[in-house]
Amino acid sequence: MSEPVILINGQPATTLSVADRGLQYGDGLFETIPFRHGKLEYLDAHIERLLRGCNRLQIDFTDLALLQHELVTLCAQTAEDAVIKIMITRGSGGRGYKPPLDALPQRIIASHPLPDYPTHYSEGVTVQLCSIRLSSNPLLAGIKHLNRLEQVLARNEWSTDAIAEGLMLDYQDRLVEGTMSNLFLVKDEHLLTPNLNESGIEGIMRQRVIELASVLNMPTEITTLNMDDLYQADEVFLTNSLINIWPVTALSGTNKTWSHGTITQRLQKALSTTDN
């Protein structure tokens, strides 16, 4: 893998002011985009979510054209497939929660090695139920804000490579998502995925799978799900932009298993056929 490339406001750099509100308060947003075969995948959808997040957090980010130019510059210096991470912070603001009116948003983009999961796509993964719960916050639900402490603590609950992901509940015992992924269940050939109105991230791949399910005439429902629904599911799979679709085959600490079923396989095939 070639050396990572980092641009801060368009310039090669590796440092940021300690007064930056992204560091001080998690006051910002991020997007993680796969760069494969010379292409930033689902770029428009990622940018749309980034702008939606800026609007939600009232970050006055107007340098979209400049950001897109910097993405082109960074990708031109990235010789191999990679993960491109975009961060937008509100900028520097000193101590105190109230943002200064003259804060200048900061643009940070960086390339990272693309992780390799050689068998997860075909053989499936084992997941763990996390003890850390997701709090309810409709204002922040859906967007990728920089404060991911719940996910950080949840991901710290296991260290073995035998577990690929952790599932997270909220404080009402509702299934929400994985630490880094969205969750889908299949029951009686119906596709089910959690409602994310109060917590969780509205993943780009989650939306793509919902669109593909519509094309394939698969009944799909965004709904409230719990552990009983998980245990009764015929198939379970996870999604995000980097992993695409991972079938879940086992829940750690239990004897519960699922097959890499036909619905999951149809969606994997449709995704690889239409988007590659």
Side-chain angles (χ1 to χ4, degrees):
M1 177 70 188
S2 58
E3 286 296 315
V5 180
I6 302 172
L7 300 178
I8 300 178
N9 298 322
Q11 300 301 312
T14 57
T15 59
L16 195 66
S17 169
V18 295
D20 190 273
R21 292 179 62 88
L23 170 64
Q24 295 273 355
Y25 305 113
D27 191 0
L29 302 128
F30 74 103
E31 293 289 330
T32 306
I33 308 174
F35 178 68
R36 285 187 274 238
H37 310 297
K39 176 185 176 182
L40 283 167
E41 297 178 354
Y42 312 107
L43 177 60
D44 290 345
H46 281 283
I47 293 297
E48 190 279 330
R49 185 174 59 184
L50 180 69
L51 295 178
R52 186 167 72 246
C54 286
N55 182 64
R56 190 92 60 88
L57 297 186
Q58 301 176 34
I59 294 177
D60 187 21
F61 175 66
T62 58
D63 292 330
L64 179 58
L66 195 54
L67 174 66
Q68 291 175 319
H69 172 74
E70 291 162 1
L71 283 170
V72 171
T73 300
L74 182 139
C75 289
Q77 301 175 56
T78 304
E80 303 174 6
D81 291 353
V83 177
I84 306 301
K85 184 170 184 178
I86 304 171
M87 286 178 279
I88 302 294
T89 77
R90 193 182 301 272
S92 296
R95 201 200 70 79
Y97 290 140
K98 183 175 176 58
L101 295 178
D102 59 351
L104 294 176
Q106 303 294 294
R107 308 177 308 279
I108 306 160
I109 56 176
S111 68
H112 301 274
L114 188 69
D116 184 24
Y117 306 108
T119 63
H120 292 1
Y121 181 88
S122 57
E123 297 182 10
V125 299
T126 296
V127 299
Q128 169 177 304
L129 183 65
C130 297
S131 63
I132 296 294
R133 300 294 184 101
L134 289 166
S135 56
S136 174
N137 191 331
L139 177 64
L140 298 180
I143 62 175
K144 295 194 76 169
H145 55 82
L146 285 175
N147 193 326
R148 313 314 310 180
L149 286 178
E150 293 167 330
Q151 287 81 3
V152 168
L153 292 172
R155 181 57 187 87
N156 203 37
E157 290 186 23
W158 77 92
S159 58
T160 172
D161 292 339
I163 296 172
E165 174 63 310
L167 302 183
M168 301 188 70
L169 303 167
D170 65 12
Y171 285 95
Q172 286 71 49
D173 294 325
R174 296 175 296 200
L175 278 166
V176 180
E177 61 185 1
T179 66
M180 64 168 187
S181 61
N182 288 117
L183 174 68
F184 285 84
L185 310 182
V186 178
K187 180 63 177 176
D188 298 329
E189 299 188 348
H190 283 62
L191 197 60
L192 308 172
T193 193
N195 186 313
L196 302 179
N197 288 342
E198 295 188 27
S199 58
I201 293 175
E202 293 179 354
I204 302 305
M205 186 55 62
R206 173 181 181 265
Q207 183 57 39
R208 184 67 185 124
V209 166
I210 291 171
E211 293 168 357
L212 286 173
S214 177
V215 172
L216 296 171
N217 295 315
M218 292 181 183
T220 303
E221 186 177 358
I222 299 173
T223 186
T224 299
L225 298 173
N226 55 38
M227 288 301 295
D228 286 341
D229 296 308
L230 180 68
Y231 275 102
Q232 294 168 15
D234 302 316
E235 303 174 33
V236 179
F237 64 87
L238 305 169
T239 65
N240 77 21
S241 294
L242 297 183
I243 69 175
N244 291 332
I245 297 173
W246 280 354
V248 174
T249 54
L251 179 63
S252 179
T254 75
N255 60 4
K256 184 60 186 176
T257 61
W258 298 271
S259 66
H260 182 186
T262 57
I263 298 295
T264 304
Q265 291 182 50
R266 285 181 65 196
L267 287 166
Q268 286 178 314
K269 181 179 180 180
L271 183 66
S272 64
T273 300
T274 59
D275 293 3
N276 294 323

